[in-house]
Each structure stands twice: as C-alpha cells, then as structure tokens.
C-alpha cells in the first residue's frame, strides 16, 4: 500500500506554493518546514508545502485547489495519531486550525473540524452541557475525533464500557471525493472501533454537530477530575514524554500492552524512542527520537510478541510521508 504523502507531485514545492498563493492567504503558506512541532510525537520531516487553514471555507478551498492542480494533499489535525517520516511529506499538508463553534440553547453544538476537543470539553462543561466530558485529556481535533471515533471509558466508578464520540454525534459537513459540500449523518459515517468511513473515502470533514444534554456542572467536574487522574496515573504525560498514544490496535481480551510488557520490553530503547515504563503500548520520544527509531522499536516489539505469543501486533497509528 502506498503511504499518504509519498507520491511525488509534478511541481516543485516553490511552484506549488506559487500556484496556491493565487487562492490562499500567502502568509499561511510555508515551504519545506518541518512538521515535527505539529505532532504530539514531536517527530517528522518537512512538508513540501504546508497551509494553515483557519476556517472550514479555507480548508475546503485548499483541498479543492490541490485537487485541481493534481497535487497530493493530506489534512493534519493535532497530529496525535500519526507518525510522520523523517524525510517528510510530499505535496500539500493542510494543518486544520478551523476552530469556530457555538452552542445553541437546546444543546446542539456546531463546531468547525479544527476545533480542539479539550477546548470544547472545558467550554461545554462550564456551561453545564454533558456529552464531551469523557474525552478530557485526549489530544484531538474534531475532524481527527470523527476519523477515529474517539473513545474512552465510561465514568468511574463503573467504567463498565467504552464511550464513543459517535454517541453525541448528529451530523457533519464534508467536502466529498467529488468536490461537493454536503451534510451527512451516522449512516454515512459508519463509525466502528477506531474506524469510520473516512479511513476509506477521501472526504474531508469541515464541521460537525453534536447533541449535548443538561447536567449538573459539579457532576461533570467530578468526571473530568476522575478521568484526568486515571490517565495521569496510567499514561506517560504528553508534556514531558511526547507520544502518539497507543501504538498498536487493541487485541480483544488480551491487550497489546500486556503482551509487550510480558516480553520484558518496558523501558526498551532504540535511539531516543522508548517503550514507556508505565504503559507498554505507548512509545515515547525522549527528546531526539526519529521516525526511523520509532519504526525500529515497533518492529522489535512485533517480533518479540509474535515469537513468544503468536499474536501479530498491528499498528493503530497512521504512517505518513517518506521514512
Ligand atoms: C497521549 C495520547 C493519548 C491518547 N488517548 C486516546 C484515547 O484515550 N482514546 C482515543 O480514541 N484516542 C486516543 N489517542 C489518539 C488520538 O488522540 C486520536 O486518534 C485523535 O482523534 C487524533 O486526532 P488528531 O486531530 O490529532 O488527528 P491527526 O493525528 O492529525 O490525524 C489522524 C487522521 O485523521 C485524519 N483527519 C484529521 N482531520 C480530518 C478532517 N477534518 N477530515 C478528514 N480526515 C481528517 C488525518 O488525515 C489522519 O489520517 C491518544 C493520543 C495521544 C497522543
């Protein structure tokens, strides 16, 4: 399978940027700049061209122009579920910073797809609206959340099931593969576990609507605090140890992290990439890790687990660009 961001455009980066300047804000076009600062792993080489879209209209315009120019394109949210190659991404990377949003009196939240879920959580909780509080502490834009069907455990003390962003989801506006803007609902999006139609169609989510319910803010704050404490004691802290969250897909009833742990790999390093001491399914960047380090560490964990337990660990994160 060809990785996104590896197809070489016919034009040079400067030619692409010149062509895009005719329709996009020039000050937000960047040529050959590293993507590492725009990922939670803090890893990744340069994008030929990067455009920072600040509204849904700009996001749609950037994708439409890239399509018209036959330039490969990729939409980047918070970069929390991707590993970008050391040699960077060919074509256009559109960094989605479209963050307008509003909440109606009946609890319908409309948000552009670049809004940061954590910001929406804090704002909705402050106003006494329930539905997003479960996702506190998870780095994601709204677009990335729909792409992956963002999920976390239901509130303490039960924690009896996984909750999904699909639950409050009502609809989203997409720019579809044919260039049309249209509103689609859950039937179209086909949410699954770590899954949605966006893994298979080259649609772009421009905005989304969620139905929230009234709840006592004190209750919501309790859930925020419990979820943050739960995460804080089980996951490496992103501000200290950059990562992309869980690296391997869940293995039902077994747990990818448990298998890696049972191979004695917690703390194992390749260069500056390390299997976290506190969660074996999370690889952390100790400072100067490269994408090559991370890939070698992934391969090492996969080999150890297949040899010892016969399970093949499948990466959950997206590999983008040239490695
Ligand atoms: C510390 C940490 C903890 C995490 N914990 C959890 C957790 O508890 N639960 C969980 O579910 N996930 C978790 N994750 C994974 C991650 O937060 C989610 O996958 C998140 O939804 C990624 O969003 P993003 O905006 O960063 O997307 P990105 O990583 O930027 O992109 C991911 C994919 O989505 C696509 N995409 C992004 N925006 C759009 C759009 N507007 N339209 C179409 N496609 C788009 C991209 O092209 C890419 O293919 C964690 C990650 C980290 C780093």
């Amino acid at each position: 399978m060809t990785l996104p961001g590896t197809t070489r455009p016919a034009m040079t980066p400067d030619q692409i940027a010149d062509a895009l300047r005719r329709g996009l804000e020039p000050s937000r076009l960047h040529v050959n700049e590293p993507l590492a600062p725009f990922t939670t792993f803090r890893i990744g080489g340069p994008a030929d061209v990067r455009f920072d879209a600040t509204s849904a209209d700009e996001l749609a315009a950037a994708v439409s122009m890239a399509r018209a120019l036959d330039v490969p394109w990729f939409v980047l949210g918070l970069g929390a579920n991707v590993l970008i190659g050391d040699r960077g991404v060919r074509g256009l990377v559109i960094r989605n910073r479209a963050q307008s949003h509003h909440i109606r009196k009946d609890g319908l939240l409309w948000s552009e797809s670049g809004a940061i879920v954590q910001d929406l959580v804090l704002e909705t909780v402050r106003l006494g609206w329930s539905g997003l509080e479960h996702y506190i502490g998870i780095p994601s834009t709204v677009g990335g959340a729909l792409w992956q069907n963002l999920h976390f455990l239901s509130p303490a003390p039960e924690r009896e099931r996984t909750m999904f962003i699909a639950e409050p989801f009502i609809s989203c506006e997409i720019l579809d593969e044919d260039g049309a803007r249209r509103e689609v609902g859950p039937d179209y999006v086909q949410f699954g576990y770590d899954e949605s139609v966006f893994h298979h169609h080259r649609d772009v989510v421009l905005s989304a609507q969620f139905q929230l319910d009234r709840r006592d803010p004190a209750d919501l704050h309790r859930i925020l605090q419990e979820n943050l404490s739960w995460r804080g004691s089980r996951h490496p802290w992103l501000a200290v140890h950059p990562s992309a969250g869980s690296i391997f897909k869940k293995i039902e009833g077994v747990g990818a992290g448990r298998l890696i742990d049972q191979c004695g790999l917690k703390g194992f390093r390749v260069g500056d990439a390390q299997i976290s001491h506190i969660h074996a399914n999370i690889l952390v960047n100790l400072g100067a890790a490269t994408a090559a380090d991370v890939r070698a560490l992934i391969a090492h964990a996969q080999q150890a687990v297949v040899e010892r337990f016969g399970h093949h660990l499948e990466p959950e994160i997206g590999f983008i660009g040239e490695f």
Side-chain angles (χ1 to χ4, degrees):
M1 193 190 80
T2 317
L3 293 184
T6 54
T7 306
R8 289 189 171 256
M11 292 187 276
T12 65
D14 285 324
Q15 287 170 333
I16 296 171
D18 280 346
L20 292 173
R21 267 184 206 106
R22 284 178 222 133
L24 303 176
E25 168 55 42
S27 66
R28 282 188 270 107
L29 279 163
H30 306 269
V31 176
N32 278 327
E33 290 187 10
L35 289 168
F38 309 115
T39 71
T40 56
F41 236 149
R42 299 280 179 263
I43 294 173
D48 282 351
V49 179
R50 187 186 93 236
F51 175 64
D52 295 336
T54 59
S55 70
D57 288 345
E58 285 186 0
L59 174 59
V63 173
S64 300
M65 283 190 79
R67 281 175 171 158
L69 293 165
D70 202 21
V71 169
W73 54 273
F74 178 79
V75 176
L76 185 67
L78 273 189
N81 204 33
V82 292
L83 177 65
I84 292 179
D86 297 317
R87 289 165 58 215
V89 178
R90 304 292 69 84
L92 174 67
V93 172
I94 306 159
R95 189 171 155 238
N96 186 6
R97 308 198 61 211
Q99 299 181 344
S100 289
H101 57 273
H102 55 73
I103 308 168
R104 282 195 337 206
K105 284 199 171 67
D106 61 358
L108 192 78
L109 166 68
W110 173 89
S111 171
E112 288 187 328
S113 60
I116 293 168
V117 170
Q118 168 119 333
D119 295 345
L120 297 179
V121 170
L122 295 177
E123 196 169 329
T124 54
V125 164
R126 186 171 52 79
L127 296 169
W129 289 114
S130 166
L132 298 183
E133 63 276 12
H134 316 289
Y135 311 105
I136 187 77
I138 308 179
S140 184
T141 58
V142 165
L146 298 192
W147 196 83
Q148 190 72 0
N149 195 8
L150 200 69
H151 48 82
F152 192 58
L153 294 175
S154 59
E158 294 83 6
R159 298 233 183 267
E160 84 289 10
R161 73 177 185 95
T162 302
M163 308 199 67
F164 294 91
I165 201 80
E167 296 175 42
F169 173 83
I170 298 289
S171 65
C172 59
E173 189 194 9
I174 60 167
L175 179 73
D176 73 15
E177 290 183 328
D178 301 322
R181 281 177 80 148
R182 59 195 176 101
E183 199 75 16
V184 296
D187 286 354
Y188 180 88
V189 179
Q190 294 171 43
F191 288 110
Y193 193 97
D194 285 343
E195 175 67 26
S196 73
V197 71
F198 307 119
H199 289 234
H200 314 288
H201 284 199
R202 292 231 73 200
D203 300 330
V204 177
V205 180
L206 301 176
S207 64
Q209 300 198 86
F210 302 94
Q211 182 62 56
L212 308 177
D213 301 312
R214 274 275 169 233
R215 191 157 171 186
D216 180 356
D219 235 14
L220 296 173
H221 277 288
R222 175 185 58 79
I223 293 171
L224 296 190
Q225 190 52 63
E226 284 172 354
N227 283 359
L228 288 170
S229 304
W230 194 96
R231 285 187 165 278
S233 62
R234 286 169 178 80
H235 291 181
W237 288 9
L238 195 54
V240 181
H241 290 124
S243 79
S246 295
I247 287 284
F248 296 109
K249 287 185 182 160
K250 183 173 159 160
I251 303 179
E252 208 49 65
V254 183
R258 204 170 309 143
L259 297 180
I260 299 169
D261 190 9
Q262 284 169 4
C263 290
L265 288 177
K266 273 185 175 168
F268 186 85
R269 273 174 80 165
V270 175
D272 253 0
Q274 182 181 50
I275 296 179
S276 166
H277 283 288
I278 63 167
H279 195 310
N281 196 15
I282 298 181
L283 309 190
V284 295
N285 176 0
L286 296 180
T290 61
D293 294 339
V294 174
R295 290 256 287 208
L297 196 50
I298 288 173
H300 185 83
Q302 283 173 318
Q303 185 164 351
V305 167
V306 88
E307 278 174 9
R308 175 126 185 233
F309 298 107
H311 281 289
H312 179 69
L313 297 178
E314 211 183 315
E316 184 201 302
I317 56 168
F319 297 98
I320 313 296
E322 296 182 339
F323 281 78

